[in-house]
């Protein structure tokens, strides 16, 4: 996805809890990332808290006032909102310095449509929450998929057990109608699943100790936000902390970390109450033509190392 050493221009659509903040740090601080906007969608925690978490993250990265934060959908397209319980308040359940930057007056989907139309074929979208804002942007501009360079989605589970119900991963479960619209819209799209994340982007306590020992305020920010997730995981039988959103962000700017991918047909169940948000992955082309690139294997150690380097480099110095 990266042209040589070129910059990756991106918009990050996020329901900002902890790992969303870690993905934002990739956009805000990775040398090849050019983050043009952050858009907020209803998801993990209370909407206004998510806005605050995003603004705090921009501030902690030393980028206050440089990247606009746009407010999007406060509820899914057709269903009541369902909060994830894994995240506390998403900012480590503690206070941080008050960010000077406030949210933009322009709405999230409107900002996505405007930015993409100003630079057709040049902007990648990263969707790390429910797909409500992206689906709304498609409804505002039906030609949007052809003008987005690439859409990266963290969502779904590869015909396997989900993390919110046995059938479904959280982002697809919360707004299956939006996921359905987006997957049918004709984007050039890559999906990073919960299934892959759990197997290849779960960091052990030994790895987290390495990050905690990094003497930068940014590393302390990371550990403060990550600890509630690790504690929640321990209660549900996952050892360590999981990093689906930050993995997806890192793959955009470090595509060499992708070891194996495949093309297949992905669709989301919207009608069944039992399997709401279930994502079907069909690898039999004779049944369904592929519509999605799926990441099958990543360089797990490389992902950890790149993230460690990001925390070691720390926030951007204030000018
Ligand atoms: Ca998220």
């Amino acid at each position: 996805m990266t042209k040589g050493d070129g910059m990756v221009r991106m918009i990050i659509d996020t329901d900002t809890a902890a790992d969303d903040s870690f993905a934002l740090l990739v956009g805000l601080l990775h040398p090849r990332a050019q983050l043009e906007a952050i858009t907020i969608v209803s998801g993990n925690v209370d909407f206004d808290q998510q806005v605050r978490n995003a603004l705090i993250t921009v501030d902690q990265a030393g980028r206050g006032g440089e990247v606009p934060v746009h407010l999007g959908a406060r509820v899914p397209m057709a269903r009541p909102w369902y909060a994830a319980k894994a995240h506390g308040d998403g900012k480590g359940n503690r206070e941080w310095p008050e960010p000077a930057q406030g949210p933009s007056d322009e709405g999230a989907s409107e900002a996505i449509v405007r930015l993409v139309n100003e630079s057709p074929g040049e902007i990648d979208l990263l969707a790390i929450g429910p797909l409500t804002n992206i689906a709304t942007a498609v409804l505002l501009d039906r030609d949007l998929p052809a003008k987005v360079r690439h859409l990266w989605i963290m969502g779904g589970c590869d015909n396997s057990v989900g993390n919110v119900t046995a059938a479904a991963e959280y982002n697809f479960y919360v707004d299956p109608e939006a996921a359905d619209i987006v997957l049918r819209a004709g984007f050039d799209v890559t999906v990073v699943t919960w299934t892959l994340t759990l197997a290849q982007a779960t960091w052990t306590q030994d790895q987290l100790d390495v990050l905690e020992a990094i003497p930068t305020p940014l590393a302390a920010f990371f550990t403060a936000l990550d600890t509630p997730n690790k504690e929640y995981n321990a209660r549900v039988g996952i050892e360590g902390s999981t990093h689906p959103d930050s993995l997806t962000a890192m793959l955009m700017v470090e595509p060499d970390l992708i070891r194996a991918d495949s093309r297949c047909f992905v669709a989301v169940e919207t009608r069944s109450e039992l399997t709401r948000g279930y994502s079907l992955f069909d690898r039999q082309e004779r049944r369904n033509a592929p519509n999605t690139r799926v990441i099958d294997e990543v360089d797990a150690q490389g992902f950890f190392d790149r993230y460690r380097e990001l925390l070691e480099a720390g926030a951007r110095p204030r000018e």
Side-chain angles (χ1 to χ4, degrees), residues 168-242:
E169 175 278 334
Y170 178 79
N171 289 342
F172 285 5
Y173 177 81
V174 166
D175 200 340
E177 286 79 11
D180 181 50
I181 289 170
V182 170
L183 286 168
R184 290 172 185 269
F187 284 102
D188 187 12
V189 59
T190 295
V191 166
V192 173
T193 63
W194 172 249
T195 317
L196 175 90
T197 297
L198 197 55
Q200 301 185 32
T202 301
W203 293 344
T204 65
Q205 186 58 53
D206 284 350
Q207 287 176 303
L208 298 174
D209 288 345
V210 169
L211 301 183
E212 190 169 1
I214 296 170
T216 60
L218 199 67
F221 179 68
F222 173 89
T223 296
L225 266 63
D226 195 48
T227 299
N229 288 349
K230 184 183 69 181
E231 292 169 354
Y232 174 84
N233 283 348
R235 294 198 292 276
V236 298
I238 298 171
E239 205 172 315
S241 73
T242 45

Side-chain angles (χ1 to χ4, degrees), residues 12 18-28 126 128 245-247 249 307:
I12 301 183
D19 196 46
D20 293 80
S21 285
F22 306 152
L24 290 178
L25 292 180
V26 175
L28 290 160
L126 170 59
I128 50 176
D245 297 351
S246 45
L247 171 67
Y307 209 89

Side-chain angles (χ1 to χ4, degrees), residues 94-156:
R94 52 162 282 186
E95 289 310 315
W96 300 93
E98 191 66 24
Q101 180 183 340
S104 167
D105 291 335
E106 184 183 30
S109 300
E110 291 81 0
I112 291 168
V113 168
R114 177 180 58 80
L115 288 165
V116 169
N117 276 286
E118 284 172 2
S119 302
E122 294 182 16
I123 295 183
D124 286 11
L125 298 183
L126 170 59
I128 50 176
L131 287 158
T132 322
N133 287 346
I134 309 295
T136 304
V138 169
L139 298 181
L140 287 172
D141 178 359
R142 299 291 180 133
D143 298 324
L144 187 77
K147 292 179 276 192
V148 168
R149 190 175 75 131
H150 200 83
L151 169 64
W152 296 76
I153 295 173
M154 187 282 130

Side-chain angles (χ1 to χ4, degrees), residues 42-109:
S42 180
N44 279 319
V45 293
D46 171 76
F47 187 88
D48 292 324
Q49 184 67 59
Q50 295 178 159
V51 175
R52 189 169 166 72
N53 295 350
L55 292 167
I56 288 170
T57 304
V58 173
D59 190 58
Q60 290 288 316
R63 302 284 318 273
E66 296 178 26
V67 181
V69 174
H70 300 269
L71 278 53
R74 287 178 175 269
V75 288
M77 301 194 90
R79 311 213 180 204
W81 170 58
Y82 181 98
K85 297 191 172 60
H87 302 276
D89 67 3
K91 61 175 180 50
N93 304 315
R94 52 162 282 186
E95 289 310 315
W96 300 93
E98 191 66 24
Q101 180 183 340
S104 167
D105 291 335
E106 184 183 30
S109 300

